[in-house]
Amino acid sequence: MPIVIFLVLAFAGMMLVYWYFSPDEMSAEGVTAVSAADNYLAAPIFKNIPAKPVVQRLSQSPGPILVGIISGHRGFDSGAVCSDGLTEAQVNETIADMVLANLQNQGVRVEKLDEFDARLDNFSGTALVSIHADSCDYINELATGFKISGSAFTDSSPLSICVEQEYYQATQMEYHANTITPDMADYHAFRQIAPSVPAIIIEVGFMNLDREMITTNAQVPATGLTNGILCFLDAYKHSVTAN
Ligand SMILES: [Zn+2]
C-alpha cells in the first residue's frame, strides 16, 4: 500500500511540475510534442521532484498491527493461589485466551506470550497488554476492582485510557487506584520490550471478592479488555493516517 501511495504521489508531483513549466497557450498535444522533441523541457521536470517529503512519508508508514498479550505468570509460576486450589495463572489464561480469540475474530494479529517469554526482548508490536489478577486472600471490603499501570518508556496513556474506559463499561467494576505496587509500575516486561511500544499491565480484579466476575463470567472482563484494545488500535490507525 505505501508503495502504491508513493507511486501515485510521485506521478501527481511529476504531472504538477510538468504542467507548471508548460507554456500556457499550448494544448496538451503541443506540449507532448515539444517535450518529446526538446530535451530542455524534460530535464527540469525530472530534477525538480521534491524527494524528501516522499521519503519521509514512507518511513512514517506503520508496520502491520500486532498486539502482544501476556498471560500473567504463564510458564513461570502460579501467581496467587486460593484455598481451593484456583490459581491466578488459570484465571489470567482463561481471560487472555478469550481476548486473543476476540481480537483474532476482529482480524487483529495477536501473539500470546508467557510471563517471561523470550519474544518479549525488544518486542516491537503495536501494543502489549499483560493480564494479571489480584490476591485471593480476603483483605477487606475494599479489595475489589481493577487497576492498570502503563509503561513510562513511551506514552502509554492512550492505551491505558481506552482499556480503563472499556473495562469499566463492560464490567462496571471500580477502578482500584490505591494499591498499584512497584511490581506493576516497574513491570519487568516494560523494560524488555522495544521502548516505543505502548504497554500496560492490568489487574483484572481480586480473586476473592471479584471471583465470580473473573472466572464464571470471564467473557465479560475479556470483552472489556478486547474493546479497550480495539479502541486504542482505532485511534492508532487514525493518528497514522493523519500523519
Ligand atoms: Zn500476578
Side-chain angles (χ1 to χ4, degrees):
M1 196 56 198
I3 294 165
V4 175
I5 295 170
F6 173 83
L7 288 174
V8 169
L9 281 175
F11 182 73
M14 278 192 288
M15 289 309 287
L16 204 71
V17 175
Y18 182 87
W19 286 112
Y20 183 77
F21 283 102
S22 298
D24 290 348
E25 65 276 14
M26 291 193 135
S27 69
E29 291 85 31
V31 171
T32 311
V34 169
S35 61
D38 188 345
N39 282 338
Y40 174 75
L41 259 183
I45 290 170
F46 295 103
K47 279 178 187 167
N48 285 347
I49 295 170
K52 279 269 160 69
V54 177
V55 169
Q56 200 179 7
R57 180 173 288 271
L58 267 177
S59 71
Q60 283 173 351
S61 296
I65 299 275
L66 170 66
V67 175
I69 303 287
I70 296 179
S71 182
H73 298 274
R74 190 176 190 273
F76 180 62
D77 64 5
S78 57
V81 183
C82 299
S83 54
D84 66 349
L86 177 69
T87 69
E88 186 202 334
Q90 291 174 324
V91 171
N92 297 339
E93 185 159 20
T94 301
I95 296 176
D97 284 343
M98 288 174 174
V99 173
L100 285 155
N102 289 347
L103 288 173
Q104 275 168 340
N105 286 341
Q106 295 293 319
V108 177
R109 203 158 59 97
V110 285
E111 236 166 65
K112 181 181 179 180
L113 302 161
D114 284 353
E115 184 65 61
F116 290 96
D117 205 294
R119 288 169 294 173
L120 282 170
D121 286 324
N122 215 29
F123 176 83
S124 57
T126 318
L128 178 79
V129 175
S130 180
I131 298 173
H132 281 256
D134 256 314
S135 167
C136 202
D137 301 333
Y138 177 81
I139 301 159
N140 57 41
E141 284 303 311
L142 297 175
T144 169
F146 69 101
K147 59 204 175 193
I148 296 171
S149 184
S151 164
F153 290 96
T154 187
D155 182 10
S156 299
S157 52
L159 175 62
S160 190
I161 290 166
C162 269
V163 172
E164 183 181 333
Q165 284 175 345
E166 294 296 333
Y167 197 81
Y168 172 74
Q169 188 75 29
T171 64
Q172 296 294 307
M173 288 168 84
E174 292 299 325
Y175 186 79
H176 194 99
N178 299 328
T179 56
I180 290 186
T181 61
D183 269 356
M184 284 185 78
D186 189 29
Y187 185 50
H188 68 88
F190 295 166
R191 282 178 270 115
Q192 289 173 266
I193 61 175
S196 60
V197 179
I200 59 167
I201 174 172
I202 178 169
E203 301 272 355
V204 292
F206 287 78
M207 289 168 68
N208 190 309
L209 294 182
D210 303 319
R211 177 163 175 160
E212 195 178 337
M213 173 63 86
I214 60 179
T215 56
T216 317
N217 300 329
Q219 191 56 255
V220 176
T223 300
L225 268 170
T226 306
N227 291 344
I229 294 166
L230 290 174
C231 153
F232 167 74
L233 292 179
D234 222 43
Y236 170 81
K237 285 178 205 157
H238 280 107
S239 75
V240 170
T241 313
N243 285 335

